[in-house]
């Protein structure tokens, strides 16, 4: 990467910039450092400088500010060539044309059909299928535990990961035989351990896969979101093949990664807070409250990349200069004591409701799959503990390792003992 800002990994710049750790070795510590750096903090992402938002109120303000856009061509470091395709995180920003990378009327046009496919009525229609997927995976979890010499099963691999991939695959019309391939490719794409050239090749392979799916559905439409996107003519202008592919690629990524984190983080929080778990299992506190508190306390997305200032933006006594990049650090926002109280660092399902957080974003680009993720977790969590009331972690909590992913809050594995 041709970039004048690169510093040694782990080095803290003298100007107070927070270096975001690509290996995610200390997520709690990083979150605390970001909050201590102020509402709008300077960060460094693999040698590239940016601003990050760490407060709930400021995030709500900036996420609806039309002067902050998704268009990478508004980024001065990109226009000047200081950041190129060689930057390891570029695939998360320059990801092709989709509802995730455009603004205004074009964003509304690209998003409309997806939103129609995920209405509350549609989600209720697919609920029985999600419940069936859940029961099948719980059967598999029991079988793995019984076959295991020590009864230990990886909750992520056997349950939390395949469930959202099955659901999003069903919605998009992706055959189940392709799910393992997609999981491998997305895992490698997000991982900071993947060589950059391999990551770019993965993007090309995903483009080819979705292009083939689009061609197939163009020739033979079915009742799935892929076909709906192809046939959409919102505003009198159908989506191009590139736009359909971009939407599919991003929706599958976001549609399974976020829910994996939500399920795993919720289970982990409850197992490390047994008194609170007991109140949930006794029916004193609703599962919906568990989900919202988990979303606030241990957000599935840590840092959302990136928006760019189309003009100078004054924030207090700080100026986001035209062309600078802005990241929203959702985990820091979720721990904002100004919004959530002095105990914001505590997982507490008894805190006053509703629990207002921004784990799925805010404004025009709020996650279109937020309701779907909540439905999946709302089915998966109570079903898991109903089947395995003695579920417990198989390793001490401090031994659970995070994946080296700068944007997602995900575990390498979650070993559990389902049978107690």
């Amino acid at each position: 990467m041709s970039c004048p800002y690169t510093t040694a990994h782990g080095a803290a710049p003298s100007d107070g910039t927070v270096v975001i750790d690509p290996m995610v070795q200390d997520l709690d510590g990083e979150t605390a450092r970001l909050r201590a750096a102020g509402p709008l903090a300077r960060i460094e992402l693999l040698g590239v400088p940016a601003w990050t938002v760490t407060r709930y109120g400021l995030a709500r303000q900036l996420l609806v500010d039309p002067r902050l856009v998704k268009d990478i061509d508004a980024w001065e470091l990109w226009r000047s060539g200081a950041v190129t395709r060689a930057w390891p995180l570029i695939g998360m920003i320059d990801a092709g044309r989709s509802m995730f990378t455009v603004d205004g009327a074009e964003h509304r046009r690209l998003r409309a059909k997806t939103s129609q496919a995920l209405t509350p009525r549609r989600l209720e229609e697919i609920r029985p299928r999600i419940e069936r997927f859940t029961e099948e995976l719980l059967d598999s979890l029991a079988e793995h535990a019984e076959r295991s010499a020590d009864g230990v099963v990886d909750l992520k691999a056997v349950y939390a990961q395949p469930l959202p991939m099955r659901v999003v695959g069903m919605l998009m019309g992706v055959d189940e035989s392709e799910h393992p391939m997609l999981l491998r490719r997305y895992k490698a794409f997000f991982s900071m351990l993947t060589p950059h050239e391999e990551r770019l090749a993965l993007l090309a392979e995903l483009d080819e896969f979705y292009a083939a799916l689009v061609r197939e559905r163009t020739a033979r439409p079915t009742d799935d979101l892929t076909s709906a996107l192809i046939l959409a003519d919102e505003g009198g202008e159908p989506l191009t093949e590139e736009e359909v592919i971009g939407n599919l690629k991003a929706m599958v990524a976001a549609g399974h990664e976020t829910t994996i984190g939500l399920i795993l983080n919720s289970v982990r929080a409850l197992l490390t807070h047994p008194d609170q778990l007991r109140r949930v299992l006794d029916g004193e506190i609703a599962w919906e409250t568990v989900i919202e508190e988990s979303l606030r306390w241990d957000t599935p997305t840590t840092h959302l990349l990136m928006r760019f200032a189309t003009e100078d933006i004054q924030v207090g006594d700080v100026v986001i200069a035209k062309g600078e990049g802005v990241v929203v650090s959702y985990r820091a926002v979720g721990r904002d004591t100004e919004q959530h109280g002095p105990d914001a660092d505590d997982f507490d399902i008894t805190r006053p409701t509703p629990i207002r957080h921004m784990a799925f974003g805010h404004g025009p680009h709020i996650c279109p799959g937020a309701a779907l993720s909540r439905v999946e977790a709302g089915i998966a969590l109570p079903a898991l503990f109903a089947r395995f009331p003695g579920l417990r972690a198989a390793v001490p909590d401090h031994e659970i390792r995070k994946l080296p992913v700068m944007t997602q809050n995900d575990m390498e594995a979650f070993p559990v003992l389902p049978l107690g």
Side-chain angles (χ1 to χ4, degrees):
M1 178 181 65
S2 173
C3 180
Y5 304 98
T6 303
T7 63
H9 169 59
S14 59
D15 63 357
T17 297
V18 178
V19 179
I20 303 301
D21 179 11
M23 296 296 106
V24 195
Q25 296 173 21
D26 180 17
L27 191 54
D28 283 342
E30 179 179 277
T31 299
R33 287 190 294 276
L34 286 169
R35 286 165 50 199
L40 190 65
R42 291 297 284 177
I43 60 171
E44 184 182 289
L45 297 162
L46 299 180
V48 170
W51 293 100
T52 194
V53 187
T54 70
R55 298 293 194 272
Y56 179 92
L58 182 57
R60 282 183 65 91
Q61 172 188 328
L62 291 178
L63 286 172
V64 296
D65 193 319
R67 297 171 295 177
L68 283 173
V69 300
K70 290 296 200 85
D71 183 1
I72 192 173
D73 290 328
W75 192 15
E76 176 58 31
L77 293 179
W78 177 254
R79 289 199 310 267
S80 68
V83 171
T84 69
R85 293 288 294 173
W87 188 48
L89 297 176
I90 198 63
M92 299 180 190
I93 301 173
D94 187 28
R97 185 175 173 79
S98 76
M99 61 181 169
F100 296 90
T101 59
V102 299
D103 299 279
E106 281 298 276
H107 170 255
R108 291 190 291 274
R109 181 178 72 87
L110 293 177
R111 184 182 172 111
K113 206 65 181 182
T114 301
S115 299
Q116 291 172 18
L118 297 174
T119 61
R121 178 178 177 180
R122 174 62 170 155
L123 293 180
E124 284 306 307
E125 289 174 353
I126 66 174
R127 178 182 288 273
R129 297 182 68 178
I130 300 174
E131 291 171 341
R132 176 166 57 82
F133 293 156
T134 300
E135 289 303 315
E136 291 171 356
L137 291 171
L138 288 172
D139 290 342
S140 178
L141 191 63
E143 291 168 6
H144 277 78
E146 290 165 359
R147 291 199 304 266
S148 172
D150 55 6
V152 176
V153 184
D154 180 3
L155 186 69
K156 177 180 178 178
V158 180
Y159 189 63
Q161 185 169 263
L163 177 60
M165 180 53 79
R166 281 194 185 187
V167 174
V168 77
M170 170 193 70
L171 287 170
M172 306 294 178
V174 176
D175 191 88
E176 195 168 328
S177 64
E178 304 283 7
H179 294 180
M181 174 274 294
L182 287 174
L183 286 169
R184 287 194 303 272
R185 280 177 164 77
Y186 279 110
K187 178 181 178 181
F189 168 72
F190 283 113
S191 174
M192 298 312 302
L193 297 178
T194 301
H196 186 55
E197 291 304 317
E198 182 179 333
R199 184 178 290 106
L200 293 178
L202 286 168
L203 281 174
E205 291 168 6
L206 286 169
D207 282 341
E208 292 175 7
F209 171 79
Y210 289 116
L213 177 63
V214 170
R215 288 192 292 269
E216 167 68 21
R217 290 296 184 271
T218 300
R220 286 173 288 278
T222 59
D223 183 21
D224 58 41
L225 183 54
T226 301
S227 300
L229 290 173
I230 294 167
L231 298 172
D233 59 354
E234 309 302 327
E237 183 181 350
L239 276 62
T240 66
E241 181 176 288
E242 177 193 4
E243 290 168 344
V244 174
I245 292 171
N247 272 4
L248 288 174
K249 188 167 57 175
M251 279 294 294
V252 174
H256 81 279
E257 281 289 340
T258 300
T259 308
I260 291 170
L262 172 55
I263 293 171
L264 291 177
N265 295 341
S266 297
V267 174
R268 184 182 186 182
L270 289 171
L271 293 184
T272 53
H273 296 80
D275 292 344
Q276 296 190 52
L277 172 59
R278 176 48 49 200
R279 297 186 67 173
V280 177
L281 298 182
D282 288 346
E284 294 180 34
I285 297 175
W287 282 103
E288 290 81 359
T289 303
V290 173
I291 290 169
E292 298 310 312
E293 175 64 355
S294 179
L295 285 167
R296 178 201 70 81
W297 183 68
D298 207 10
T299 53
T301 300
T302 46
H303 310 289
L304 188 66
L305 313 185
M306 186 182 291
R307 296 164 194 261
F308 312 102
T310 57
E311 60 182 81
D312 289 356
I313 302 173
Q314 187 81 38
V315 179
D317 58 358
V318 176
V319 175
I320 302 171
K322 178 181 178 179
E324 289 190 313
V326 178
V327 173
V328 179
S329 291
Y330 282 112
R331 199 169 191 274
V333 168
R335 302 289 184 96
D336 180 8
T337 56
E338 295 175 10
Q339 172 65 25
H340 305 294
D343 62 346
D345 282 325
D346 298 335
F347 177 79
D348 182 7
I349 56 177
T350 68
R351 68 178 62 250
T353 55
I355 300 167
R356 301 192 184 281
H357 60 77
M358 295 178 54
F360 291 114
H362 177 66
H365 283 279
I366 192 169
C367 177
L372 175 62
S373 188
R374 286 183 167 103
V375 168
E376 291 178 62
I379 293 170
L381 292 169
L384 174 66
F385 283 96
R387 178 76 73 92
F388 305 110
L391 179 77
R392 58 189 175 91
V395 298
D397 189 69
H398 69 268
E399 291 185 10
I400 295 175
R401 300 282 297 174
K402 295 290 186 181
L403 280 175
V405 178
M406 295 182 75
T407 55
Q408 302 299 124
N409 180 9
D410 197 357
M411 308 174 192
E412 290 182 1
F414 192 0
V416 297
L417 289 157
L419 304 178

mmCIF file of all heavy atoms in Angstrom, residues 26 131 172 242 255 279 395:
data_model
loop_
_atom_site.group_PDB
_atom_site.id
_atom_site.type_symbol
_atom_site.label_atom_id
_atom_site.label_comp_id
_atom_site.label_asym_id
_atom_site.label_seq_id
_atom_site.Cartn_x
_atom_site.Cartn_y
_atom_site.Cartn_z
ATOM 1 N N ASP A 26 -7.640 -7.480 22.432
ATOM 2 C CA ASP A 26 -8.211 -6.912 23.660
ATOM 3 C C ASP A 26 -9.357 -5.983 23.279
ATOM 4 O O ASP A 26 -9.209 -4.766 23.291
ATOM 5 C CB ASP A 26 -7.117 -6.168 24.437
ATOM 6 C CG ASP A 26 -7.642 -5.545 25.727
ATOM 7 O OD1 ASP A 26 -8.737 -5.940 26.178
ATOM 8 O OD2 ASP A 26 -6.953 -4.668 26.278
ATOM 9 N N GLU A 131 -38.007 -22.127 12.429
ATOM 10 C CA GLU A 131 -38.178 -23.022 13.570
ATOM 11 C C GLU A 131 -37.785 -24.449 13.198
ATOM 12 O O GLU A 131 -37.167 -25.167 14.005
ATOM 13 C CB GLU A 131 -39.629 -22.975 14.049
ATOM 14 C CG GLU A 131 -40.002 -21.641 14.688
ATOM 15 C CD GLU A 131 -41.483 -21.511 14.976
ATOM 16 O OE1 GLU A 131 -42.279 -22.286 14.371
ATOM 17 O OE2 GLU A 131 -41.865 -20.628 15.773
ATOM 18 N N MET A 172 -32.448 -15.952 -0.396
ATOM 19 C CA MET A 172 -31.777 -15.581 -1.641
ATOM 20 C C MET A 172 -31.890 -16.651 -2.717
ATOM 21 O O MET A 172 -31.553 -16.398 -3.872
ATOM 22 C CB MET A 172 -30.290 -15.305 -1.375
ATOM 23 C CG MET A 172 -30.024 -14.284 -0.298
ATOM 24 S SD MET A 172 -30.597 -12.632 -0.746
ATOM 25 C CE MET A 172 -30.197 -11.730 0.749
ATOM 26 N N GLU A 242 -24.890 -5.721 -12.101
ATOM 27 C CA GLU A 242 -23.900 -5.349 -11.086
ATOM 28 C C GLU A 242 -24.580 -4.987 -9.780
ATOM 29 O O GLU A 242 -24.112 -5.367 -8.689
ATOM 30 C CB GLU A 242 -23.059 -4.161 -11.570
ATOM 31 C CG GLU A 242 -22.051 -3.682 -10.533
ATOM 32 C CD GLU A 242 -21.431 -2.332 -10.855
ATOM 33 O OE1 GLU A 242 -21.842 -1.705 -11.855
ATOM 34 O OE2 GLU A 242 -20.550 -1.897 -10.084
ATOM 35 N N GLY A 255 -26.170 -10.728 6.413
ATOM 36 C CA GLY A 255 -27.306 -11.505 6.885
ATOM 37 C C GLY A 255 -26.936 -12.702 7.731
ATOM 38 O O GLY A 255 -27.759 -13.180 8.514
ATOM 39 N N ARG A 279 -33.319 -16.039 35.810
ATOM 40 C CA ARG A 279 -34.514 -15.195 35.745
ATOM 41 C C ARG A 279 -35.175 -15.289 34.372
ATOM 42 O O ARG A 279 -36.402 -15.207 34.262
ATOM 43 C CB ARG A 279 -34.150 -13.750 36.075
ATOM 44 C CG ARG A 279 -33.624 -13.572 37.495
ATOM 45 C CD ARG A 279 -33.403 -12.127 37.864
ATOM 46 N NE ARG A 279 -34.664 -11.386 37.939
ATOM 47 C CZ ARG A 279 -34.761 -10.140 38.363
ATOM 48 N NH1 ARG A 279 -33.661 -9.481 38.733
ATOM 49 N NH2 ARG A 279 -35.928 -9.528 38.406
ATOM 50 N N VAL A 395 -14.976 -24.296 28.469
ATOM 51 C CA VAL A 395 -13.674 -23.696 28.783
ATOM 52 C C VAL A 395 -13.915 -22.428 29.587
ATOM 53 O O VAL A 395 -14.997 -21.837 29.502
ATOM 54 C CB VAL A 395 -12.867 -23.364 27.495
ATOM 55 C CG1 VAL A 395 -12.561 -24.628 26.704
ATOM 56 C CG2 VAL A 395 -13.616 -22.352 26.634
#
